[in-house]
């Protein structure tokens, strides 16, 4: 049984690499079995998440130092090398400890010759320089089309998608910066659901219980940002008066719930509501004179909505397919937080860049288009649809909205609507009708938001 932090991290990487496990699921599972103290658990978490994020870059470093390409090295030894390089280049671990512990791990899983190989290669990493040196060296030895992908550790197709998106918004100089920020561990955002608690009380509680630094979210008057700690320890989180929620998601819920709408405004619909974060915030903002029907296809996610909204009597959960769900009424507002590639969450979800394939996009786009088209049938004349995704990929965002062949729908200026609820225009990059947020510009997930009104 593997019991030391590095052994546990290695086991997690094995299951991620060879068995398709997810970083955010397997790491806590292994940690719960090991009963590590808080410091060691944090060390394992950073080892696993950081190594997975940066694996393409680390493989490029290995290729620079090994007489054999990475593809020809024992896959388990590649994992050991990635772990060692991450400690040497990206963590505050002494060179001696990083090398020696990696060699010890290689001894456990292979033979003495392999351990010597690990020792020699890692000592060469140390001898040649820091992470900036290795980025320059990898870049200089890579083909132009692959250089950014290797240095920032992203698949080439994602690099191209980012380039296309930044070109659309007129921000071509941002590409590499944005990709680099995807490799930085993000701060934790919390939301205080209005009517149930307030962010001042939540901030005081976080400072007292978690002993962390707290700041207010610029995109939401309900959010705080905490520097560290386990939010589950906070009473407001335990009682669902507050929750973990990215400030970009909070902004989408605000645009859905707070922007002015002419005419009747009592019946709202969330077509893809699970696990219920945006539904809960919108319902809390709306108050009891508005009713939200929360539709979710998957029963376990529908159960999560029930738990999330247990203190919000103006929410009704319906387990159904948002593409085909029927209603005996039209709705005043409809939110579509569509299933997507998740490419805007890469700093929070270390493995999404490796588990998502370019070929997945076409299927997702069909689902997104069907959801949006069905929402157009369910919204009343003069009513509003807010379409959002946590990806910046143009095919899943701008193209889905612009390819909607409905003459009865008008694309609104989402940036202007955001400004109407107090968002500084400098937070909203690009001269378009759409909102595209970015981790490096907004300190949140790369959320997209479009607003449509029915004629």
């Amino acid at each position: 049984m593997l019991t030391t932090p590095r052994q546990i991290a290695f086991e997690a990487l094995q299951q991620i690499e060879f068995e398709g496990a997810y970083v955010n699921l397997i790491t806590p599972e292994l940690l719960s079995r090991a009963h590590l103290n808080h410091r060691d658990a944090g060390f394992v978490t950073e080892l696993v998440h950081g190594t997975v994020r940066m694996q393409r870059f680390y493989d490029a470093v290995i290729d620079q130092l090994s007489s054999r390409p990475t593809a020809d090295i024992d896959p388990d030894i590649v994992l050991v090398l990635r772990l060692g390089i991450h400690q040497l280049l990206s963590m505050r671990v002494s060179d001696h400890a990083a090398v020696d512990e990696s060699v010890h791990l290689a001894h456990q899983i292979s033979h003495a010759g392999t351990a010597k190989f690990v020792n020699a290669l890692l000592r060469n990493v140390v001898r040649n320089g820091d992470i900036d040196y290795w980025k320059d060296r990898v870049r200089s030895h890579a083909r132009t089309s692959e250089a950014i992908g290797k240095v920032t550790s992203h698949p080439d197709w994602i690099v191209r998608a980012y380039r296309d998106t930044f070109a659309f918004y007129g921000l071509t100089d941002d590409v590499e910066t944005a990709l680099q920020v995807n490799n930085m561990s993000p701060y934790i955002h919390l939301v205080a659901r209005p009517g149930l608690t307030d962010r001042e009380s939540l901030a005081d509680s976080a400072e007292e219980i978690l002993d962390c630094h707290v700041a207010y979210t610029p995109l939401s008057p309900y959010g705080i940002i905490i520097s560290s700690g386990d939010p589950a320890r906070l009473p407001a989180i335990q009682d669902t008066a507050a929750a973990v929620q990215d400030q970009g998601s909070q902004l989408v819920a605000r645009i859905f719930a707070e922007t002015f709408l002419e005419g009747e405004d009592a019946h709202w619909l969330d077509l893809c509501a699970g696990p219920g974060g945006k539904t809960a915030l919108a319902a809390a903002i709306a108050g009891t004179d508005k009713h939200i029907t929360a539709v979710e296809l998957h029963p376990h996610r529908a159960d999560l909505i029930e738990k999330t909204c247990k203190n919000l009597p103006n929410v009704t959960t319906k387990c159904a397919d948002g593409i085909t769900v029927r209603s005996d009424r039209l709705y005043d507002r409809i939110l579509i937080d569509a299933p997507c590639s998740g490419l805007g969450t890469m700093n929070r979800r270390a493995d999404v860049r490796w588990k998502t394939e370019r070929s997945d996009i076409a299927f997702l786009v069909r689902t997104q288009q069907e959801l949006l088209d069905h929402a157009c049938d369910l919204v009343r004349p003069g009513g509003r649809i807010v379409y959002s995704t946590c990806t910046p990929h143009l095919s899943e965002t701008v193209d889905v909205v612009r390819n909607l062949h409905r003459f009865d729908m008008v694309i609104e200026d989402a940036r202007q609507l955001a400004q109407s609820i107090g968002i500084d225009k400098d937070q909203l990059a690009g001269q378009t009708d759409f909102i595209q947020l970015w981790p490096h510009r907004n300190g949140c997930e790369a959320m997209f938001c479009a607003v449509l009104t029915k004629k």
Side-chain angles (χ1 to χ4, degrees):
M1 179 180 179
L2 301 180
T3 57
T4 70
R6 289 176 177 82
Q7 289 173 327
I8 294 166
F10 174 74
E11 182 177 347
L13 292 180
Q14 280 186 311
Q15 295 198 37
I16 293 162
E17 183 82 3
F18 308 130
E19 300 176 27
Y22 289 88
V23 170
N24 62 322
L25 298 179
I26 192 60
T27 308
E29 179 184 325
L30 293 176
L31 287 174
S32 67
R33 290 188 215 157
H35 303 293
L36 297 180
N37 61 41
H38 178 74
R39 181 179 177 181
D40 284 345
F43 181 68
V44 171
T45 300
E46 171 53 29
L47 270 179
V48 176
H49 284 248
T51 300
V52 170
R53 281 193 194 101
M54 296 300 294
Q55 66 184 45
R56 188 180 186 194
F57 171 61
Y58 296 153
D59 287 355
V61 173
I62 296 168
D63 285 336
Q64 291 293 308
L65 294 172
S66 173
S67 59
R68 291 175 289 160
T70 305
D72 292 342
I73 300 172
D74 180 340
D76 279 338
I77 297 304
V78 172
L79 298 183
V80 173
L81 290 170
R82 288 175 183 170
L83 277 171
I85 295 171
H86 184 63
Q87 293 169 72
L88 291 170
L89 298 184
S90 303
M91 294 180 70
R92 294 178 180 177
V93 176
S94 73
D95 296 346
H96 176 78
V99 174
D100 284 2
E101 291 295 333
S102 298
V103 171
H104 179 65
L105 188 56
H107 264 298
Q108 290 181 296
I109 63 175
S110 189
H111 52 76
T114 300
K116 288 180 180 179
F117 167 70
V118 168
N119 180 64
L121 191 144
L122 293 182
R123 291 193 183 281
N124 272 327
V125 172
V126 175
R127 190 176 298 116
N128 281 280
D130 61 11
I131 191 167
D132 291 330
Y133 165 85
W134 283 107
K135 285 182 177 179
D136 289 342
R137 181 165 168 176
V138 166
R139 189 191 302 274
S140 67
H141 286 79
R143 291 182 299 185
T144 303
S145 60
E146 295 181 341
I148 291 180
K150 286 187 174 182
V151 169
T152 66
S153 195
H154 289 74
D156 291 333
W157 75 269
I158 291 181
V159 176
R160 290 192 293 270
Y162 265 55
R163 280 178 171 152
D164 290 345
T165 299
F166 279 113
F168 175 81
Y169 289 101
L171 303 168
T172 52
D173 292 340
D174 282 25
V175 176
E176 188 162 347
T177 300
L179 293 168
Q180 292 284 18
V181 170
N182 283 342
N183 298 325
M184 299 171 60
S185 298
Y187 288 122
I188 302 168
H189 298 181
L190 308 182
V191 62
R193 291 168 179 154
L196 302 178
T197 189
D198 59 77
R199 73 170 174 179
E200 291 74 21
S201 299
L202 185 61
D204 290 343
S205 178
E207 287 180 337
E208 178 183 352
I209 296 173
L210 303 182
D211 190 27
C212 63
H213 176 72
V214 176
Y216 289 155
T217 51
L219 297 178
S220 169
Y222 314 113
I224 66 171
I225 304 167
I226 62 173
S227 59
S228 60
D230 180 5
R233 295 172 57 200
L234 301 178
I237 298 282
Q238 295 166 6
D239 193 39
T240 70
V244 176
Q245 186 175 42
D246 183 80
Q247 65 167 325
S249 293
Q250 294 180 45
L251 176 59
V252 170
R254 292 186 63 210
I255 291 171
F256 173 63
E258 292 181 7
T259 50
F260 175 75
L261 182 67
E262 290 187 359
E264 184 181 355
D265 192 21
H267 299 281
W268 299 359
L269 175 68
D270 187 342
L271 267 186
C272 309
K278 292 184 182 68
T279 305
L281 180 54
I285 292 170
T288 55
D289 60 332
K290 320 285 188 186
H291 182 269
I292 301 183
T293 301
V295 174
E296 172 53 47
L297 173 61
H298 303 287
H300 71 283
R301 288 171 65 86
D303 290 342
L304 291 175
I305 299 171
E306 295 278 2
K307 293 175 182 176
T308 298
C309 299
K310 68 178 184 180
N311 294 320
L312 296 164
N314 56 335
V315 176
T316 300
T317 304
K318 185 173 185 177
C319 191
D321 188 344
I323 294 174
T324 58
V325 66
R326 297 301 171 195
S327 172
D328 57 2
R329 66 164 308 106
L330 297 179
Y331 292 90
D332 306 306
R333 302 182 190 231
I334 298 178
L335 174 62
I336 307 169
D337 185 33
C340 69
S341 61
L343 299 184
T345 66
M346 285 189 282
N347 61 344
R348 296 189 188 279
R349 298 170 56 197
D351 52 358
V352 69
R353 70 189 73 179
W354 312 122
K355 290 188 179 296
T356 305
E357 302 287 343
R358 184 180 180 184
S359 57
D360 297 335
I361 303 298
F363 171 77
L364 290 165
V365 166
R366 285 195 297 273
T367 301
Q368 293 154 357
Q369 289 174 330
E370 289 173 351
L371 283 164
L372 184 53
D373 189 60
H374 189 47
C376 294
D377 291 331
L378 297 176
V379 71
R380 68 164 172 84
R384 176 174 296 151
I385 297 172
V386 174
Y387 173 82
S388 72
T389 62
C390 53
T391 178
H393 199 296
L394 288 178
S395 295
E396 301 179 81
T397 57
V398 173
D399 292 350
V400 168
V401 177
R402 288 186 167 177
N403 290 337
L404 180 67
H405 300 299
R406 300 277 303 225
F407 296 106
D408 56 344
M409 302 303 298
V410 176
I411 299 173
E412 302 287 352
D413 187 338
R415 299 169 74 248
Q416 190 173 64
L417 286 171
Q419 290 175 54
S420 76
I421 58 173
I423 301 300
D424 189 327
K425 66 179 180 180
D426 292 337
Q427 289 275 344
L428 308 171
Q431 299 299 315
T432 73
D433 292 333
F434 309 111
I435 292 172
Q436 179 62 67
L437 303 174
W438 296 99
H440 70 291
R441 285 179 169 267
N442 305 104
C444 64
E445 294 176 355
M447 292 292 301
F448 170 84
C449 180
V451 181
L452 301 94
T453 297
K454 195 170 191 176
K455 293 180 182 178

